[in-house]
Amino acid sequence: MALQASFLPSALSVHKEGKSSSGVKDTAFLGISLSDHHKSDFSSASLRTKQRSFEQKKLSITRAQTTAVASPSINRATSEGKKTLRKGTVVITGASSGLGLATAKALADTGKWHIVMACRDFLKAERAAKSVGMAKDSYTVMHLDLASLDSVRQFVHNFRRSDMPLDVLVCNAAVYFPTAREPTFTADGFELSVGTNHLGHFLLARLLLDDLNKSDYPSKRLVIVGSITGNTNTLAGNVPPKANLGDLRGLAGGLTGLNSSAMIDGKDFDGAKAYKDSKVCNMLMMQEFHRRYHEETGISFTSLYPGCIATTGLFREHIPLFRLLFPPFQKFVTKGFVSEAESGKRLAQVVSDPSLTKSGVYWSWNKDSASFENQLSEEASDAEKARKVWEISEKLVGLA
Ligand SMILES: NC(=O)c1ccc[n+]([C@@H]2O[C@H](COP(=O)([O-])OP(=O)(O)OC[C@H]3O[C@@H](n4cnc5c(N)ncnc54)[C@H](OP(=O)(O)O)[C@@H]3O)[C@@H](O)[C@H]2O)c1
């Protein structure tokens, strides 16, 4: 199959003063992994068999316990007196638009999931759920601003008070500031992209790990949305500025932009790179969670690249010309375009598909929309770096 990765014309690129930039800077949502089209889903059969027997055991436990779990979404018994599997509860951050909303809709439509839409704008989330026709009893909107550690803690508190079980957590929300010349900051003083996309999610996932662990659902999962743009083993990941966490000196300094850099690698601020760096952190943390907790808890930790969803709000801060031309460019030139609905189906698979339970995997999809285990770049799979990012992040969010 032909390699589809290609680039936007340089007219669309955003050049920053005083920085070396190539003509394809900031256009990195477009490519497809060099190896994407040559792979198939090669999860090992034996692992799946083990997983299945593990799940069957868990399922019988679930059936025995269903009546003990207080949730509005539990199906207690059929007319024949048999207990059925209760609805799963999934928390999706940033479910008010784009990928998060499409995933919420896809899961709600199955009738098997209750979706907690963890969003910073309550009204927007309510309207979004209505606009896509989600049944009223299929979702709950809860306030979460990932750019504030207090808000993350408050969300966890509120979620626990709701008495809903937590079966799957999806860390999906993100911000992207490709044209910003100066950094902006979270309530706690971290550069906004890494502070929101990585640190806010890191605290959320760490705090909710216990809740996930308590779930009696057959397959409990933590999904952290990644991106091709953080993977320098792809053409898209090689579009400047490339992701690079360096020796983490900026992260260790708190990304404050005062006495330390606002960038993880300690260098000059670059909004597009800050986003890509945050995505590397997302993918590193998924693997570090897997190493630390999978065996002990049975939770599946996964990440994914949903495809280039050129129409979402992620590009809202980009220049108007880019926003106008990016979707048709992806549709007709690179043919890498993925609709919001299709991307939602993909993430919904990672949430719920029984064949996608393998932990520690970064999922991607080929041109026929078949899922496969993709390879992460050297940096995004560097275990030593992951350990360091984890330890520094723990300190920054007040867990160590
Ligand atoms: N679009 C793509 O081509 C693409 C490709 C690869 C990966 N991804 C990933 O897909 C995920 C979703 O992005 P998208 O494309 O769907 O973009 P999007 O439509 O802009 O969605 C981002 C969501 O994050 C929310 N959000 C932003 N800051 C937040 C905060 N401080 N607290 C809570 N929520 C916050 C937004 O809320 P508001 O509605 O209130 O703004 C929005 O719901 C991201 O992780 C992104 O990296 C996207």
Side-chain angles (χ1 to χ4, degrees):
M1 258 176 278
L3 185 69
Q4 292 292 341
S6 44
F7 305 100
L8 278 176
S10 56
L12 289 182
S13 68
V14 179
H15 297 264
K16 292 191 179 110
E17 281 169 25
K19 295 208 174 107
S20 64
S21 58
S22 89
V24 288
K25 193 171 193 301
D26 273 359
T27 57
F29 286 86
L30 19 136
I32 291 175
S33 164
L34 283 167
S35 50
D36 283 3
H37 293 176
H38 300 283
K39 290 186 184 167
S40 57
D41 181 354
F42 52 80
S43 329
S44 96
S46 71
L47 245 172
R48 283 196 177 158
T49 313
K50 275 190 203 156
Q51 191 71 44
R52 260 199 300 275
S53 77
F54 168 75
E55 283 179 358
Q56 275 157 1
K57 275 184 213 150
K58 301 271 295 184
L59 191 59
S60 57
I61 295 167
T62 307
R63 285 186 175 142
Q65 291 178 345
T66 357
T67 49
V69 183
S71 161
S73 54
I74 292 170
N75 301 327
R76 293 190 188 278
T78 64
S79 50
E80 297 84 32
K82 281 185 202 152
K83 282 173 186 152
T84 55
L85 183 63
R86 65 173 170 82
K87 271 189 179 183
T89 301
V90 55
V91 170
I92 305 178
T93 68
S96 52
S97 69
L99 175 62
L101 178 62
T103 306
K105 161 80 175 151
L107 290 168
D109 283 354
T110 66
K112 295 176 179 165
W113 289 89
H114 186 79
I115 296 97
V116 176
M117 301 172 72
C119 297
R120 61 178 168 176
D121 185 334
F122 190 93
L123 195 59
K124 181 177 175 185
E126 256 317 320
R127 285 187 176 143
K130 275 200 191 105
S131 75
V132 295
M134 285 168 64
K136 222 174 159 38
D137 63 355
S138 68
Y139 68 92
T140 304
V141 179
M142 280 193 196
H143 185 263
L144 168 68
D145 181 357
L146 289 157
S148 156
L149 298 180
D150 276 351
S151 173
V152 173
R153 290 181 185 281
Q154 187 63 48
F155 171 82
V156 172
H157 178 73
N158 292 343
F159 178 75
R160 287 180 182 154
R161 283 187 52 191
S162 76
D163 270 343
M164 281 186 264
L166 178 63
D167 305 313
V168 180
L169 169 62
V170 181
C171 296
N172 160 75
V175 286
Y176 171 52
F177 303 106
T179 59
R181 290 174 181 272
E182 296 294 333
T184 42
F185 298 92
T186 67
D188 305 275
F190 310 126
E191 185 282 317
L192 193 52
S193 331
V194 177
T196 305
N197 308 354
H198 162 55
L199 290 169
H201 276 137
F202 179 70
L203 178 62
L204 180 73
R206 284 289 303 275
L207 294 177
L208 287 177
L209 197 67
D210 270 354
D211 304 74
L212 260 183
N213 198 23
K214 283 179 198 149
S215 161
D216 59 1
Y217 206 67
S219 171
K220 40 198 187 183
R221 308 182 190 186
L222 167 57
V223 184
I224 306 177
V225 177
S227 176
I228 199 171
T229 58
N231 276 302
T232 50
N233 59 341
T234 64
L235 285 182
N238 272 295
V239 176
K242 291 193 220 174
N244 182 357
L245 307 189
D247 64 4
L248 307 174
R249 71 180 63 182
L251 186 66
L255 303 173
T256 60
L258 293 170
N259 298 323
S260 82
S261 165
M263 298 294 290
I264 292 180
D265 63 3
K267 299 199 173 146
D268 288 346
F269 176 72
D270 184 316
K273 182 172 180 300
Y275 169 82
K276 295 178 189 179
D277 288 350
S278 75
K279 290 281 118 188
V280 176
C281 291
N282 286 156
M283 294 179 282
L284 286 174
M285 290 306 91
M286 174 278 283
Q287 295 160 90
E288 192 63 13
F289 269 111
H290 167 73
R291 279 188 285 271
R292 289 176 186 242
Y293 296 108
H294 174 62
E295 216 172 293
E296 176 193 331
T297 63
I299 298 169
S300 294
F301 300 97
T302 54
S303 185
L304 71 150
Y305 171 60
C308 181
I309 331 157
T311 52
T312 74
L314 194 65
F315 307 100
R316 67 187 97 177
E317 301 289 337
H318 223 308
I319 56 170
L321 185 62
F322 180 94
R323 279 187 272 126
L324 180 73
L325 296 183
F326 192 48
F329 180 78
Q330 286 296 332
K331 262 184 210 162
F332 305 116
V333 183
T334 74
K335 302 204 164 57
F337 180 86
V338 172
S339 70
E340 293 180 34
E342 171 60 24
S343 69
K345 283 184 202 153
R346 292 178 178 183
L347 179 47
Q349 277 175 37
V350 182
V351 167
S352 64
D353 194 308
S355 68
L356 269 59
T357 54
K358 187 172 172 188
S359 186
V361 173
Y362 168 63
W363 295 105
S364 294
W365 285 260
N366 66 19
K367 275 174 88 182
D368 302 320
S369 272
S371 58
F372 65 90
E373 289 177 37
N374 208 343
Q375 297 292 320
L376 289 159
S377 69
E378 204 181 321
E379 181 171 53
S381 52
D382 180 337
E384 182 52 18
K385 205 164 250 191
R387 184 185 62 77
K388 286 186 185 152
V389 170
W390 179 282
E391 287 171 3
I392 296 170
S393 303
E394 272 187 326
K395 288 187 187 135
L396 294 178
V397 302
L399 291 172

